[in-house]
Amino acid sequence: MNSAWDRLVEQLRVLRNISSANELLGWDQHCYLPRRGAGPRAEQMATLAAIYHEKKVDDSLWETIEAAASDSALTAEQGRAVEETRKAVERARRLPTDLIRRLTQKESDSYAQWIEARTANDFNVAAPLLEEIVKLKQEFAATLEPSLPAYDVLLDQYEPDATGAEIATLFEEVRPALSDLTEKLRPFSDHSQGPFCAPFPSAEQNLFFLSLSERLGFDLDRGRLDLTVHPFCSSPSIDDVRLTYRIDEADIFIGLNPLIHEMGHGFYEQGLVREQWGTPLAEACSLGIHESQSLLWEKHVLQSRAFAEYLEPLLIQRFPDAMGGVQADTLYRHANRIRIGSVRLESDEVSYGLHIIIRFELERDLVEGRIQVKDLRDAWNEKYREYLGVTPDSDLRGILQDVHWYAGLIGYFPTYLLGAMNAAQLFETWTERNPKFEHEILSGQFGNLLEWLRQSIHVHGKSYPARELMKRATGVEPSPRFLISYLGEKYLTLVAPK
Amino acid sequence: MNSAWDRLVEQLRVLRNISSANELLGWDQHCYLPRRGAGPRAEQMATLAAIYHEKKVDDSLWETIEAAASDSALTAEQGRAVEETRKAVERARRLPTDLIRRLTQKESDSYAQWIEARTANDFNVAAPLLEEIVKLKQEFAATLEPSLPAYDVLLDQYEPDATGAEIATLFEEVRPALSDLTEKLRPFSDHSQGPFCAPFPSAEQNLFFLSLSERLGFDLDRGRLDLTVHPFCSSPSIDDVRLTYRIDEADIFIGLNPLIHEMGHGFYEQGLVREQWGTPLAEACSLGIHESQSLLWEKHVLQSRAFAEYLEPLLIQRFPDAMGGVQADTLYRHANRIRIGSVRLESDEVSYGLHIIIRFELERDLVEGRIQVKDLRDAWNEKYREYLGVTPDSDLRGILQDVHWYAGLIGYFPTYLLGAMNAAQLFETWTERNPKFEHEILSGQFGNLLEWLRQSIHVHGKSYPARELMKRATGVEPSPRFLISYLGEKYLTLVAPK
């Protein structure tokens, strides 16, 4: 007779296999699905999602969880995995199928409406459905945990163990520093084109991205790269991690940045422990931790001075015409140019945090009823004036710029800034422990860093809450001071007179 | 309240969505799966297959079938769909999960053993597992229909409503004609290389195949093409039909033939009726009908004299170096060259039928216990001597050449020859009704033929048994005489002195 733990793992793997299949269907939807195949694909994915939920709330799983929970032979990690599973399953069991159906339907309608609103460049087109989404999210939160603030319940899906109040305090602490720094950088804001002399041909970029992925340590026997419009990382299994990237012939960094970002996510997924597959021990700790991996590789490695030196000869060799006389220093300055404006995805690393804080504050107020959808555009524009000193010139480049809320992702935004804080703290720890890191980057050795992240973060899955994982990895409590000092040092130096 | 029929359609669509998802996973496995992702993928597919079976044997589906069967308001087609569903579900309900598990496991082991046996070029390596497969298939047949001959039960999965005895009679009738014709053609057997002057570059072949697919009428808004080792057609939905093809730079026909073959399958899948999706009314009638569609396009269109004329300028334009001075007549003769030998996939259209008859006779005798696996190699070689006048020079080019039996596909082979007969009968009907067909092919108009196949075959799904469908489409009972006269006329003319 197998132990309750073994039976639990077996049942969880069935669940994971279903969600893995759905993950592949979603990947294909963005990469290779024929235009008119979209309808049937949505139906296939809805069927798998419904079966997933059925299996998750089935009494036989609940019984196994109960049996495992009372097994005294569990290790501490197994105990935590059982508790994490119990929490997730308990919540799923509280959700009526009808509410799930209404949410899914409304999110899909609202996404379509967002597309229309963008075409019309008018928030009013999207507002009615957004209002319904907010109401459904409130109902969802009240159904799951009637005693908790609604926002906390939504946040918990992405950043377990965090609360809205905690994050509000944290962000209030960070905001003045980001604002000050943004003010100092404002005169240097630069929205000009890149410094390149000719196009970077697509076919060559494909080859370059593939070879760079290998050099960085992405395992192409256990993953792949494909071209899409919006880059993402998908992982149907630990041994099948898929990055997508985009290409812009005018500027290779337009494809390179998202690729390395997604690769950071991909490293995490490839670094989970195969033996624990299906259990929370082989799941990412939180989105704030996941994002720390992508931002560490994107901001701290790719956008570093040393990486520009490493990149220069590789780019010159592959793209001699485009590079012309461009050298490492120019690459470095281009990758880190200051961009203060109303659009999150066009912003620099410093003002980016302010974009996130605005979204967090608004979405929390929305869900907890302190602001209404009808007043949202004004509130958005007002906060942009106050925090960033800019006014969106249109809804398209203002309140309609992100898909998140319209697709039902409320409570997601703060994980971007948590990720940036975690990334800065991790990278500072790494550079202190490994003073040769610049030399390693210069000479294209990324293995030590990846191995350290594997051991400090990846292999642990959900063994610890995010705060504890960070403390174990860095020796100190998570704190925003690492991000603030990193940003100040880097960007004030960049704009200082030579 | 919905009618029982509506409820049945809804439940069948859930089943179809699960198998569609699995179909996509299988497609991806052959096209894009990273090398080390194979293990987890097999596990995902096994999970979906198990869920599919669970849902198929669930009492709620059975109750809906019973309710629908007693609904007097059904159309004749709906009535047939309910009966087809009842038959399939009844059989699934008779199958113990344990037997399915043992079969799936053994088929996968045996496939692996076949690969090893091929490396060793020794049938004895594969024989023990093949013996177990045969035993399991006998058990499977006896479980499903204890009163029927075992072979008939297996055959029924691929060619419903046919029996082993019927097919034996049919093949005995055809064999002398195929043997006679093969004898007449033997002096002209030609295993030389193609007539081409230079390689056909891969990149150009990709583009050429894509544009040719469009010219033939394959809807690329509802389908796609990808490169693989072994070409196949996969259809996750009517609006998502995927062909795969291969490329050989030495000879474009090595890729072209399988592509057009798979396209014939793809036309069928794209031509099913969207409104009936999930029910037997939007499923292919039988494999013998499916294969008629692929062979019609491959043998009767692509390998026709008129198509060679049509192809000549297209090939010259795209591949001027490879084509050199090659003209339509040479293309036609090359596409239809006589190849009499021991390998099915290297054979010509005439001797191909004899390869199939050998396999059919042997697999039927195996399953019904008239021959043992230990005697199979001798029996195989003996039949090759007798029917084809050749002796395989190795197991690799003899009894180990096909994967089918080792992967559990027993009862499948005869559908290839049934398909050839159906294709010849359909094409002769078409050319009689449309005397302009050669002119149409010459001028690249394939729409009338495709539309006729849509209306005669595709839209009917499983509305009628294969024999009746053929009779409705052609006005006469299915008969081998169309194939025999077509082959005789075509190939005797080809080898006649000019």
Side-chain angles (χ1 to χ4, degrees), chain A residues 239 298 346 444:
Chain A
D239 296 317
E298 182 193 357
E346 294 171 6

Side-chain angles (χ1 to χ4, degrees), chain A residues 1 13-14 55-56 163 173 244 250 278 286 325 398 419 445 477 490:
Chain A
M1 185 62 191
R13 281 181 78 132
V14 169
K55 297 255 174 214
K56 193 166 184 175
T163 68
E173 186 187 338
T244 72
S286 76
Q445 297 169 51
E477 289 287 335
K490 177 171 185 177

Side-chain angles (χ1 to χ4, degrees), chain A residues 61-82:
Chain A
L61 178 59
W62 187 250
E63 285 154 18
T64 309
I65 292 170
E66 297 269 292
S70 61
D71 181 350
S72 55
L74 294 187
T75 66
E77 284 74 19
Q78 288 172 340
R80 172 150 164 98
V82 172

Side-chain angles (χ1 to χ4, degrees), chain A residues 237-299:
Chain A
S237 79
I238 288 173
D239 296 317
D240 183 10
V241 176
R242 302 179 180 210
L243 314 179
T244 72
Y245 64 99
R246 67 178 159 182
I247 279 180
D248 187 319
E249 294 206 328
D251 183 350
I252 193 166
F253 281 89
I254 291 173
L256 189 55
N257 263 66
L259 173 67
I260 304 306
H261 182 96
E262 298 309 328
M263 199 174 298
H265 288 304
F267 284 141
Y268 195 177
E269 296 291 331
Q270 287 190 334
L272 296 168
V273 175
R274 193 175 289 105
E275 291 65 35
Q276 305 292 356
W277 184 239
T279 79
L281 302 179
E283 272 170 31
C285 177
S286 76
L287 287 197
I289 297 295
H290 225 312
E291 191 71 7
S292 78
Q293 301 304 292
S294 54
L295 289 174
L296 189 148
W297 287 93
E298 182 193 357
K299 302 300 178 191

